[in-house]
Amino acid sequence: MRIGIDKMAFATTNDYLDLVELAKERGVDPNKFTIGIGQDLQAVVPPTQDIVTLGATAAKKLLTPELEKNISTVIVATESGIDNSKASAIYIKHLLGLSDFIRTVEMKEACYSATAAIQFAKGVVALNPQETVLVIAADIARYGLNTPGEVTQGAGAVAMLISQNPHILTLEDTTVAYSKDIMDFWRPLYATEALVDGKYSTNVYIEFFLQTFTRYQQLTGRELADFAALTFHMPFTKMGKKGLEGLLKDRNDEVAQRLRTQLTASQLFSRQVGNLYTGSLYLSLMSLLQNSDLRAGSRIGLFSYGSGAEGEFYTGILEDGYEHYMNNIQEELKHRHQVSVAEYEKLFSSQLGMNDRDIEFDVTNDPLPFVLKGQKDHQRIYEAK
């Protein structure tokens, strides 16, 4: 039985910040952001959006009444949870109007958990081939205003349908997971912004990629020439480049050149959106598929990483006509609204966060189909517009 990713969709906020403008405001050389980090634009989050609304917006782009009938499970992977008990998947299921006869769960392991969700979904479909699992990777990356991590913020959601006979990517059987207890990035329960040791985290990321890829080669006997492309988790696009170059080193043959070219294709959307945490790897996959000329039958490698730390390397085979089962991301990004640095700072500071008061937001100017209206009696209030 072939099991894999049947459809994919991406959603982000309507507002973005030009990082050249941010660099000027912060007194930093713009090249430090656009070249050194590899980012150009960054999604800005209004208080009327969170992981529930973004996740529901992404999923809505996938669903048809016929497809909804087969969904047995909704899994939301996030490190931006909005409740320490109730799963965000329940809110999303309700907003989408899905059947009550569905299991809904939320998963966490930093930026890695969407990959675990896909592997678990694959198991569900293997046991029940008639079922489809909706996997949503939704996050808002926050590090604080005028902090070293400010340039690696972002927001968005990637929704995926996992089923038999997939239209995009058939997942191969061999996967390699690797985990260690490492403090390179974490967010205590009392904090809305993450704590990170950036240089250490980058080194751990590269180590985990090399460990998992080497182990994969030992198990399969495959070489780099067997891959049309390698995709990476990209909290910032330079991270993917560091991972690939850690493997290629001084190699500059035809295979190495091909992998570098495809890496560039996979970076394009992340450069315009920023860090998606759990969704970053899957946005890079969509970017690769929409900005390259890969053919059906091509093998793609995927490296997933979550600080703390866990990594996994696995592979998939492209299906014929894969390009017809995703939303056109570049076209949608063209219609966003640019905000000034001052507007960005105001929106950043207007989030609901850990506030325990009743709050009502003005949702009239938010064009997305789902919004967070506020909070009443300690309960978040969502609306489908």
Side-chain angles (χ1 to χ4, degrees):
M1 183 192 310
R2 294 187 301 105
I3 302 173
I5 302 175
D6 185 57
K7 295 181 70 177
M8 302 181 78
F10 169 70
T12 188
T13 62
N14 188 56
D15 298 323
Y16 73 91
L17 175 67
D18 188 324
L19 294 181
V20 171
E21 296 300 315
L22 180 64
K24 292 176 180 177
E25 183 68 25
R26 300 292 186 249
V28 175
D29 180 353
N31 287 336
K32 182 177 180 180
F33 292 171
T34 60
I35 298 175
I37 301 296
Q39 297 299 127
D40 295 323
L41 309 175
Q42 183 179 104
V44 174
V45 186
T48 50
Q49 292 295 318
D50 66 5
I51 61 164
V52 169
T53 58
L54 291 171
T57 298
K60 181 180 174 66
K61 298 176 183 181
L62 294 178
L63 300 179
T64 65
E66 190 63 31
L67 289 173
E68 289 176 9
K69 295 177 183 178
N70 297 324
I71 295 176
S72 68
T73 305
V74 179
I75 308 175
V76 174
T78 186
E79 58 178 284
S80 310
I82 50 90
D83 190 284
N84 285 328
S85 176
K86 187 173 179 179
S88 53
I90 293 179
Y91 292 101
I92 292 176
K93 187 221 79 166
H94 174 73
L95 285 174
L96 294 173
L98 299 178
S99 167
D100 289 341
F101 292 98
I102 288 178
R103 68 174 65 87
T104 53
V105 293
E106 182 175 310
M107 298 183 62
K108 180 180 71 177
E109 173 30 52
C111 302
Y112 161 76
S113 58
T115 297
I118 288 173
Q119 299 298 347
F120 295 166
K122 183 180 177 182
V124 170
V125 176
L127 289 172
N128 304 281
Q130 76 281 4
E131 296 182 2
T132 296
V133 179
L134 172 59
V135 173
I136 300 170
D139 268 302
I140 296 172
R142 286 173 61 94
Y143 294 99
L145 300 176
N146 211 2
T147 64
E150 184 176 30
V151 70
T152 61
Q153 298 178 133
V158 176
M160 297 169 277
L161 293 178
I162 309 301
S163 71
Q164 68 169 328
N165 301 322
H167 287 101
I168 296 178
L169 194 72
T170 294
L171 302 180
E172 296 189 288
D173 290 337
T174 303
T175 72
V176 177
Y178 186 78
S179 60
K180 285 185 176 182
D181 186 1
I182 290 173
M183 298 301 291
D184 61 330
F185 172 106
W186 68 103
R187 181 168 68 84
L189 288 175
Y190 53 78
T192 56
E193 284 81 44
L195 303 172
V196 60
D197 185 340
K199 291 184 178 179
Y200 179 45
S201 187
T202 297
N203 291 335
V204 174
Y205 173 102
I206 296 170
E207 176 199 346
F208 274 46
F209 169 55
L210 296 178
Q211 289 280 5
T212 55
F213 186 78
T214 299
R215 178 64 173 161
Y216 175 87
Q217 287 185 300
Q218 293 170 347
L219 293 173
T220 63
R222 294 187 179 123
E223 301 294 335
L224 275 176
D226 295 316
F227 293 89
L230 298 177
T231 55
F232 293 82
H233 164 59
M234 291 184 191
F236 53 92
T237 63
K238 195 67 172 288
M239 185 76 98
K241 178 177 174 60
K242 288 177 182 289
L244 181 60
E245 295 304 327
L247 178 66
L248 297 179
K249 300 186 185 303
D250 296 328
R251 184 169 171 173
N252 199 34
D253 57 13
E254 182 180 349
V255 171
Q257 291 177 17
R258 180 182 74 242
L259 294 177
R260 290 185 176 107
T261 297
Q262 302 294 18
L263 176 71
T264 299
S266 73
Q267 294 172 320
L268 294 178
F269 294 156
S270 294
R271 291 189 71 98
Q272 301 177 62
V273 176
N275 192 352
L276 300 189
Y277 286 161
T278 53
S280 292
L281 168 60
Y282 299 99
L283 180 59
S284 71
L285 174 61
M286 294 183 76
S287 184
L288 171 70
L289 298 184
Q290 295 188 19
N291 294 290
S292 66
D293 56 356
L294 293 176
R295 297 179 179 178
S298 296
R299 175 175 288 111
I300 298 175
L302 300 95
F303 174 62
S304 180
Y305 177 78
S307 295
E310 185 155 1
E312 182 165 344
F313 184 83
Y314 70 110
T315 59
I317 303 297
L318 271 183
E319 293 296 328
D320 187 37
Y322 65 85
E323 64 273 14
H324 302 300
Y325 294 88
M326 299 174 282
N327 63 308
N328 187 329
I329 296 176
Q330 188 58 60
E331 185 60 30
E332 293 183 7
L333 291 178
K334 291 178 182 178
H335 300 288
R336 292 183 298 169
H337 168 251
Q338 182 177 348
V339 298
S340 67
V341 174
E343 290 172 316
Y344 144 71
E345 291 177 340
K346 181 179 180 180
L347 290 170
F348 186 92
S349 301
S350 300
Q351 302 297 304
L352 181 59
M354 294 185 176
N355 203 318
D356 63 357
R357 295 182 290 108
D358 288 353
I359 295 176
E360 184 173 355
F361 296 130
D362 181 0
V363 301
T364 55
N365 293 322
D366 192 324
L368 296 190
F370 303 103
V371 291
L372 171 63
K373 293 188 67 176
Q375 180 172 270
K376 185 175 177 60
D377 297 329
H378 307 283
Q379 300 176 36
R380 291 193 175 211
I381 310 299
Y382 293 100
E383 179 180 272
K385 297 180 72 175

